[in-house]
Structure formats: structure tokens, C-alpha cells
Amino acid sequence: MNSRVEGAGAQACWFVGSVYDETEDQTSRFIDKGIWENGYTDKYIDLVKSIKKGDRIAIKASYTRKNSLPFDNRRQTVSAMAIKAIGIVTENSGDGRNLKVAWTRNESIREWYFYTNRSTVWRVLPGDWATDALIGFTFENKQQDYDRFRNDPFWRERFGDVAPEQTRFSWTKFYEAIADKLLEYKNKRQELVNGINSIAAQVDVLSYLQDIYKDGTVGPFKDICPFTVMGIFNRGITNLNRKLIAKKLADFLGVTESVPDTFDGIPLLNNQKSWFYGYEKDRQIDDIDTLWTIFAEAIRFAESGESNVKSTFVIAYNEAIQRLGVGWNLTMGLYWIRPWTYPTLESQSRYYIEKQLSIKIGYNSPEKRCTADDYLNVSDLLITRFQEETYPVHSFPELSMAAWLYQDAVVSIPPASTDVGTQDTLFNDILESEIVAAPIESYSIMNILEDGCFMDREKLEVILKRLSTKKNVILQGPPGTGKTWLAKKLAYALIGQKNETKIRAVQFHPNLSYEDFIRGWRPAGDGKLALVDGPFLEIIKAAAKEPAMRHVIVIEEINRGNPAQIFGEMLTLMEVDKRTPSEALELCYKRFEDERVFIPANLYIIGTMNIADRSLAIVDFAFRRRFAFIDLEPTFGAPWRDWVQKRCNIDLEIITQIEQSMNFLNQTITADSELGSQFRIGHSYVTPPIGIPISDGREWFRHVVETEIGPLLDEYWFDALPKAKQAKALLLEKF
């Protein structure tokens, strides 16, 4: 759906630093000489070359703040950026190093919060609400809307208007406070060792804190790294023991933050590998020093936000990962000490990032793990995606929680791949983290309504009842009635929890075959043919393994293919009374002689069907008899109006006029003998996507009519185009 995007097609704006690798601040010199210089010979060259004459540019400094902020920051650290000067680029030398700029020094430094960037050269394109707000603040002297940023998904958990009892990640304050206090012991290690030994003497589960000396004897450890200290309450032990140890450690360190009530979603060390270094007999003399260095540099980098601190972090990280016993645990430790800044890349999180989020992780260290650049690259990429309203997760704690909920996929798939960094890497390192039971994130009809469904609760209840009894349901309706959106929400509600591992989504198309959907022969890597299961057979097997858990397959555009041909013998097995082993049938392609398959009773099918598409064949009666068909209609009214007004900030008067125009159009379509109600235009066409700035609701609606609804009307009345033109004119009569 199109909408008016602020500043689309406008020139980029540039936010640049003035300090390079610990050099003096160059701001005054740049302003006095009317220049800006890239202080690096090997960084940002191509980016600087792309800066054009006439582009707006600002000198910025990035850092963090915790006190005396112009809003309630909930005692959390906030990213900040000072705007020191603004200007216009008058000449680019083309060498990637030098610009001439007409600068204007700010009378007083203006501070911008939340949406910042640590890179020395930051290219900002107008086009979404956050970038438009930053550009307006910097170059047009507009005020920052703190409330909007605080309540954006990326920052809401830390700074938003969320009731304390609904905050999921309050544990982060305790972990950061522990890390801060531990840093004070970098040069007081014997005192720290004595304190940990004292705690170990009081708690039975810390008996593993025994070293093996160079002469082979065993005794109390004489040194310890900060990550291993935090690991004493982040292992596979009971929550009661975790709280007990955490409280004793907090008391020893002088931490006043409360011990967390729960530790949901926090990755744990495996009990068999709870140190971040080797025994004394195996380790190098400076291994523990190296871990203290990366610990200190990580906190410094997280707190400073400046790119000139990055280089020391990179050196420390790359040095640490080469040491015995560190491995992937380092990323887990970084996550513990600054969970809003650093991702954990233990096995579960890597699997979730690569398989569910489709983000490629680099594995370029000699041990086929992440180098510092690999780690920071995936971190920066994730942070960028977190700021998208519709992204599945919006922070590193939320990502860790989602990976925890997704863990079934990790432990159920055998390590068959030989690709570096994928399954083999995951399972070689599986013992580095503890697999623990994931909590249930419940989901119900109420959640569907809260997520933006404009349908009556009663109708949703009917759909779920039919799905429970019939097992197979098709949502059919005119275009734009939210069929695909609702199908997945219904799947969550049927399962009773928001669990992606229990849902499979596919889309039918004219070229889809039985071999694609059920099972068929495919070329293998050795040049031979292999028998490969399709998505339907895969979810049948998954459901059969978990008879107590419901599974759902969502089939979009189910009538766009040939359902009878695609399902084959499965068409018979879909019936409710055939979902037993006694009704199992042989498949066209069998793996062994007596192989028989049935569809388990805990597998449900939700299809969607666009009934207005003339190009699709009518579904045959045999197929139709196996489904309950639910009609979805264009749904306007108070829930729709309230949603659009609240989420998109469009005037209620404009929303009401849009609703009236759409209702009149749909009445016209319904009354047309060549069309009918199945050709009405759904509410999705005029429900703006979340996160897209709309400053002029009337203009946005005109664009939707011109580029989406209008062409659809031309198709409807392809043999009577004057009707389409008149209908479009009536839609825009008040706009």
C-alpha cells in the first residue's frame, strides 16, 4: 500500500564526527577553515566520495547519558548525540578525504536522544518518521518529540509508558550494575577471589570453582575473570540457587539493584563448561588479563558511543577469542554486562538469527567463529532492523527471548550440513550454552483484537470453533480484507501461544505440484536424485512428534494452484474422521515398502482465498467439502477509525470521509450485476502501514486511489471504463 513518504527523493543529509582515534576535537578548526576532513586513510572513503555539493552536513558527537535528561529515562542509560555545527557542502575534492563546507556554529550545543549512530560518517536519508525528525531537529531547529521515541518499539521496554509490572527485561539493570561494580576489581583481583571463595563456601553448587595447577594438583582458584564471576549465577542450576548466589554476589560488590525475580530468556553457561578460560596447567599466563581487558573495553565502548573507542574494543575482542576456553561464551558474557548494546550469539540465538530472521552471520576467525568485525556487523544490522515497526523483535533482550522460545527448532534438527557457520558450527558448540525450558507467551482472541483486528469478537470465536471441530478452514473474501494477516493470528490463538515453530506458511501458485508440496524427487549435491519431503509432510511429522501440541499450516491463495492435484491422496486424509493411523494411506513416492501416512488430529489447515480473482478456477466439490468457509468483509466502523487515528495520527474528520467514500464505492460495486459483493474493496487498502509517516492524510488517500484502488477499478470495469472513472472521481470528491 502506498502512502506519502516525507522527503522521498530528497538529498541525503550527513552527520560526521570530528575526532579520530583519540585525536583532539577538530570542530573549531573545521569551522574556521570551512572544511571537513576524513581523518582515516582506509575508512569511509567511498561514502565521503558520494557526498554531493549542496548536501546538508552536521558535526556530531555520540555518547551516552544517564542523568539530568529532559524526560524520565527510568534510570537507564540513553544514547545521545550533540549537534555542534551545521552547514552546506560547497565542494567535494573527490578523494574521499576532504570537503569544503559553509559552516554555521551552533550558539549552544543541542542534544538529540535515542536515534543516534556511532559511525564517523553517517548518511541519513529522509523517508521515515525517525530520520525526518532528526533532520528537522538538526537543520530546521524543530524540537524532538521525546514521547514518540520513548514509546517506539526499539526503546519502549526501557523508556516507554509501560507499567512496571509489564516490563519484561527489568533484570538488565541488575546485570549492568553487577558489571559496573566488577570493573572496580580489575586491579583488586585477590580481594575479588577471596569474596567469590567465601560465597562458594556457603553454596554447594559452586564446587566447580577448583583449579588444576601446573603440577597437576587441584586447589582453590587463584585468579578469576569477570565473565566467570557473572557465570556463577548464570548456569544450569535452579532459579532458587541463582537468586541466592546473585544476592550474595550483589551484597559483596555493593550493588543496590534488586535481584531479578525471573531469569527468562537469559542464556546460560553449560554446567560442563562454566569457565571462560582453561585450567592453570593449560592456559597462558595472560589469558585472564585478556578477558579483563575485553570486559573493560566493552563497557567503555557501550558507554562512550564514539567510534574512536571502537578500535580498542576490536583489538581486545579479537585477542580474547583466540584464548583457550573462550569460544562463543564471550558473546554471552558481553550480553550479560550490556544487554541493550551487545547480542548474544550462543547456539540458540545464532540459529534464530540465521534461520528465522534470515541474517547471515560472518564466521571469519580461524576457529570459524565471529571476528570483532563479524560481531559488530551483525549487531549493527540487527539494530537497524529493530527500528522497523513490524520486525519480529526490537532489541537484543527481545531477540534472546525469541531465540529461547524458538529453541525447539535447534534441538530437533540433526547436524547434517557441512556449511561453515551453520548447523555443524551450532552443534559443535551446543555444550557452551544450557538448554532450558522456554516460557509460554500466551495468545488469545483478545490479542487478535489488540493487534488491530476490526472484526467482532463473536465472529472470531465462531471461526476458532469451526477450526477446532472441522480442522480445515478457508478464509475467503474480497481483496484487502486482511485474510493473510488474520490467518496467522488465528493460528497463534488456536495454539494458545505465539510460537513460530508450530506454524508453517506456504503460498500456492499455478506451477506448484504434489512433488513440491508433499514429496518428490529432487537433484542432490552428488548429481543423483533424492526423495525430499515437502512442507506439508514436514509439518505432519512435526505434529506427530508432539501430539499434545497443536500445529498449523497456513496456505495463502489456496485456489491459485490446483488443490486436488497438489494434495493428492492427502485430500482424503484431511477429513476429520480419517485422522487416525487406521486410515493411513501409501504415498505416491515411498521411502520404504510398507510406509503409510496419516494426518494427525493436532494438525490444522488455514487457507486463504481471493474470491474476486477472475483468473482462478472454481474449487471442486471434493475439495470444498473438506473445509469450512468463512467470509471476510470490508470492515470499517469505530474500531477501524480508532486504530487509524491512534496509530497514524490522521484527523478523525479525514478518516470519517474516507470511510464514507469507501462504503459508497462498495455499495456501487455490490449493486453492479456484473460484479457483486465479492468484488468490494477491503479496509486494508486504506489502513496505513505501521511506521510510515503521513503528514497529509488527504494527499495520502489520493495517492492510494490513484495507484491502487483506481487500477483495480479499471480491471473490474475493463469493458466499461467510464464507470471506473466515475467511481474514482466519486472517491476523491471530498479530497
Side-chain angles (χ1 to χ4, degrees), residues 267 269 273 276 317 320-321 323 325-335 343-350 354 361-365 367-371 374-375 378 420-422 424-433:
L269 294 171
K273 194 173 184 181
F276 280 68
Y317 181 103
I321 61 171
R323 302 306 175 107
V326 176
W328 289 107
N329 282 349
L330 179 59
T331 69
M332 194 189 307
L334 294 176
Y335 175 71
T344 171
L345 296 183
E346 59 8 280
S347 56
Q348 292 171 228
S349 293
R350 296 201 307 279
E354 294 199 314
I361 299 174
Y363 299 92
N364 293 304
S365 78
E367 300 81 15
K368 303 305 179 186
R369 297 190 178 99
C370 288
T371 65
D374 295 332
Y375 181 67
V378 72
V420 170
T422 54
D424 274 355
T425 304
L426 292 178
F427 283 87
N428 286 341
D429 296 306
I430 196 72
L431 287 179
E432 296 193 354
S433 58

Side-chain angles (χ1 to χ4, degrees), residues 537-698:
L537 204 54
E538 286 178 347
I539 198 166
I540 285 176
K541 292 179 178 179
K545 289 178 182 177
E546 297 182 287
M549 174 63 71
R550 292 173 173 176
H551 287 65
V552 182
I553 184 166
V554 176
I555 304 174
E556 300 180 27
E557 305 285 1
I558 197 167
N559 60 329
R560 190 167 286 278
N562 184 333
Q565 177 186 351
I566 293 170
F567 278 95
E569 63 276 342
M570 293 293 175
L571 201 60
T572 298
L573 300 178
M574 286 165 54
E575 295 190 51
V576 176
D577 59 355
K578 299 269 194 311
R579 293 184 173 221
T580 66
S582 60
E583 297 290 340
L585 296 175
E586 293 184 358
L587 297 180
C588 292
Y589 304 102
K590 296 184 292 185
R591 292 193 182 279
F592 50 88
E593 184 61 30
D594 297 325
E595 184 185 25
R596 296 164 67 86
V597 175
F598 72 97
I599 299 177
N602 61 318
L603 176 58
Y604 299 78
I605 303 172
I606 303 177
T608 69
M609 183 184 296
N610 184 355
I611 58 177
D613 195 333
R614 291 187 173 107
S615 67
L616 303 181
I618 298 174
V619 176
D620 66 49
F621 289 110
F623 182 81
R624 183 176 291 276
R625 185 167 59 82
R626 288 162 172 81
F627 282 85
F629 286 76
I630 307 295
D631 290 324
L632 301 187
E633 300 182 349
T635 307
F636 295 99
W640 175 80
R641 292 194 299 270
D642 293 343
W643 174 271
V644 176
Q645 185 180 29
K646 179 181 178 181
R647 295 300 182 101
C648 307
N649 200 31
I650 299 177
D651 290 343
L652 182 59
E653 179 185 355
I654 297 174
I655 297 170
T656 303
Q657 289 174 349
I658 292 173
E659 180 182 14
Q660 291 172 351
S661 297
M662 292 299 296
N663 283 336
F664 183 79
L665 172 63
N666 282 332
Q667 290 170 9
T668 303
I669 292 172
T670 301
D672 191 298
S673 59
E674 298 295 324
L675 297 175
S677 60
Q678 68 268 33
F679 287 88
R680 287 172 294 171
I681 309 296
H683 51 272
S684 296
Y685 279 92
V686 288
T687 304
I690 296 173
I692 300 297
I694 298 174
S695 61
D696 187 335
R698 295 182 184 278

Side-chain angles (χ1 to χ4, degrees), residues 381-621:
L381 179 56
L382 284 165
I383 288 173
T384 301
R385 299 305 301 270
F386 288 161
Q387 295 170 55
E388 299 173 11
E389 182 84 23
T390 56
Y391 206 60
V393 291
H394 297 97
S395 66
F396 294 130
E398 194 173 355
L399 186 152
S400 180
M401 174 71 82
W404 193 28
L405 293 167
Y406 199 69
Q407 67 183 10
D408 292 347
V410 181
V411 298
S412 65
I413 297 179
S417 171
T418 57
D419 293 339
V420 170
T422 54
Q423 290 177 7
D424 274 355
T425 304
L426 292 178
F427 283 87
N428 286 341
D429 296 306
I430 196 72
L431 287 179
E432 296 193 354
S433 58
E434 186 78 13
I435 302 295
V436 294
I440 295 175
E441 185 180 356
S442 61
Y443 197 89
S444 66
I445 287 178
M446 183 58 67
N447 295 106
I448 299 178
L449 295 169
E450 291 172 353
D451 285 347
C453 179
F454 313 128
M455 189 184 298
D456 293 337
R457 182 190 180 100
E458 291 74 16
K459 184 164 185 176
L460 288 173
E461 290 175 346
V462 169
I463 297 173
L464 282 172
K465 285 180 182 177
R466 295 300 295 136
L467 187 55
S468 297
T469 56
K470 186 70 174 177
K471 305 289 186 184
N472 314 312
V473 163
I474 287 179
L475 306 178
Q476 63 178 3
T481 47
K483 299 180 288 294
T484 297
W485 181 90
L486 182 59
K488 196 165 188 180
K489 304 295 182 182
L490 287 169
Y492 288 147
L494 180 72
I495 294 170
Q497 58 181 269
K498 201 168 185 179
N499 191 334
E500 295 281 353
T501 66
K502 313 306 177 192
I503 299 173
R504 190 73 182 262
V506 297
Q507 181 165 348
F508 278 10
H509 55 80
N511 292 327
L512 192 72
S513 67
Y514 174 94
E515 288 75 12
D516 297 319
F517 188 61
I518 308 297
R519 178 186 283 172
W521 293 99
R522 310 276 178 81
D526 58 3
K528 299 179 181 179
L529 292 177
L531 201 55
V532 178
D533 291 343
F536 194 59
L537 204 54
E538 286 178 347
I539 198 166
I540 285 176
K541 292 179 178 179
K545 289 178 182 177
E546 297 182 287
M549 174 63 71
R550 292 173 173 176
H551 287 65
V552 182
I553 184 166
V554 176
I555 304 174
E556 300 180 27
E557 305 285 1
I558 197 167
N559 60 329
R560 190 167 286 278
N562 184 333
Q565 177 186 351
I566 293 170
F567 278 95
E569 63 276 342
M570 293 293 175
L571 201 60
T572 298
L573 300 178
M574 286 165 54
E575 295 190 51
V576 176
D577 59 355
K578 299 269 194 311
R579 293 184 173 221
T580 66
S582 60
E583 297 290 340
L585 296 175
E586 293 184 358
L587 297 180
C588 292
Y589 304 102
K590 296 184 292 185
R591 292 193 182 279
F592 50 88
E593 184 61 30
D594 297 325
E595 184 185 25
R596 296 164 67 86
V597 175
F598 72 97
I599 299 177
N602 61 318
L603 176 58
Y604 299 78
I605 303 172
I606 303 177
T608 69
M609 183 184 296
N610 184 355
I611 58 177
D613 195 333
R614 291 187 173 107
S615 67
L616 303 181
I618 298 174
V619 176
D620 66 49
F621 289 110

Side-chain angles (χ1 to χ4, degrees), residues 299-312:
I299 292 177
R300 180 170 173 246
F301 186 37
E303 294 301 308
S304 73
E306 278 287 2
S307 60
N308 60 317
V309 184
K310 177 180 177 181
S311 58
T312 53

Side-chain angles (χ1 to χ4, degrees), residues 104-122:
T104 300
R105 186 192 296 270
N106 288 341
E107 294 182 5
S108 59
I109 291 178
R110 303 179 69 218
E111 264 189 343
W112 169 265
Y113 303 99
F114 301 109
Y115 183 62
T116 64
N117 188 287
R118 294 190 289 206
S119 176
T120 298
V121 181
W122 183 22

